[in-house]
Amino acid sequence: MSRSLGRMSADAAQQRTIPAAASDAAPASAEGDFRSYYGRRVLKEPVWEWLVPAYLFTGGLSAACAELAAGADLTRRPRLRKATRLGALGGLGASTYLLIADLGRPERFHHMLRVAKPSSPMSVGTWLLVAYGPGVGAAAVAELLPSRLRRTWLGKLLGALARPAGLASAALAPGVASYTAVLLSHTAVPAWNEARDRLPFVFAGSAAAAGGGFGMVCAPVDEAEPARKLAAVGAVTELVTSRQLDERLGIVSEAYRTGTAHRLRQWSEYLTAGGALGSLLAGRSRAAGVVSGLALLAGSALQRFGIFEAGVESTRDPKYVVVPQRRRVDRGEQA
């Protein structure tokens, strides 16, 4: 993913010079009548597969679980704490595997650690994961220690480190949940770049809904209240900010409202809204809590896949590049 994103970011400046020629060659009287130069595409279509949106989902789930685990620890909910600490570790492990699989060669992840570049979302995100991972791992291992090992000096040390490690990972979790949105929006892909002010909020809300749903599924009802509240807040945030992608991006919103992206995000909206309603009405019903939690998890995953598909679709039609740039020029802004 990072290799592809880096290439697209590097090509962005060059690609911005192409639409002007295309628009001069074939001016349009209306947005719907736009045609590019000989019908050619302006941008190359991303070559990524399902690994990338799956990576976006699992990373956000891990971050939300880490936040929920820290709260459960401070409010003395041991079963919710254990479930979400393990969920944070599992999500981190899955996202790391998916990222390395997309890179093609594991050593490429190591190569990204050679530099620290604050102006690069990719570099910042890599170091966020490196700082976030040890706390998640230490807190989860402390939960998995058998009772006989807890009495040893190593077990006591891990037990003492579990809380500060969990709190440290929770402090970094908001960045982990949203940095991938910044990473996508810094490419030349119109559906992502035009949504750069809203995409982090969609990702953060989606992650919170998924983390709350995970807690509802895995924790007993008497400890799941914080998970239900997090799920409801995250779901509302996701639904409100996601709808803005459909309405406030000008012509680029079409990429979110049509085709595969629209179908995935529509199902995401149904599942997320249903899961949020269930989280509020489930009460003491374990079955209702599990069903609502699963709906929230599925809705969050479909949201990431839908946003990914919208980005791919927006590179296929040059109007999504040319029309917004033309509008910015007309307003006297930088294209």
Side-chain angles (χ1 to χ4, degrees), residues 161-179:
L161 290 176
R163 173 169 290 185
L167 293 175
S169 62
L172 296 171
V176 174
S178 58
Y179 92 90

Side-chain angles (χ1 to χ4, degrees), residues 209-221 224-225 227-228 231 274-297:
F214 183 88
M216 292 167 62
V217 170
C218 298
V221 174
E225 183 180 358
R228 292 193 292 268
L277 185 61
S279 70
L280 297 175
L281 301 179
R284 305 293 298 179
S285 172
R286 171 68 174 157
V290 170
V291 171
S292 299
L294 292 174
L296 288 164
L297 285 164

Side-chain angles (χ1 to χ4, degrees), residues 50-51 54-59 61-62 86-102:
W50 64 271
L51 295 172
Y55 157 74
L56 302 178
F57 167 69
T58 54
L61 174 62
S62 173
L86 296 180
L89 180 62
L92 177 62
S95 64
T96 302
Y97 168 79
L98 292 165
L99 174 59
I100 292 175
D102 180 73

Side-chain angles (χ1 to χ4, degrees), residues 16 34 98 174-175 188 205 218 237 273 279 305 319:
R16 290 191 184 101
F34 173 80
L98 292 165
C218 298
T237 302
S279 70
F305 277 84
K319 70 181 179 182

Side-chain angles (χ1 to χ4, degrees), residues 1 6 25 28 59 107 121 132 135-136 142 145 151 161 176 182 187 216 220 227 234 238 240 258 282 293 301-302 313:
M1 175 182 179
E107 62 270 21
Y132 168 78
V136 169
L145 279 180
R151 295 189 292 269
L161 290 176
V176 174
V182 180
T187 67
M216 292 167 62
E238 178 185 357
V240 171
T258 57
L302 290 177
E313 182 61 32

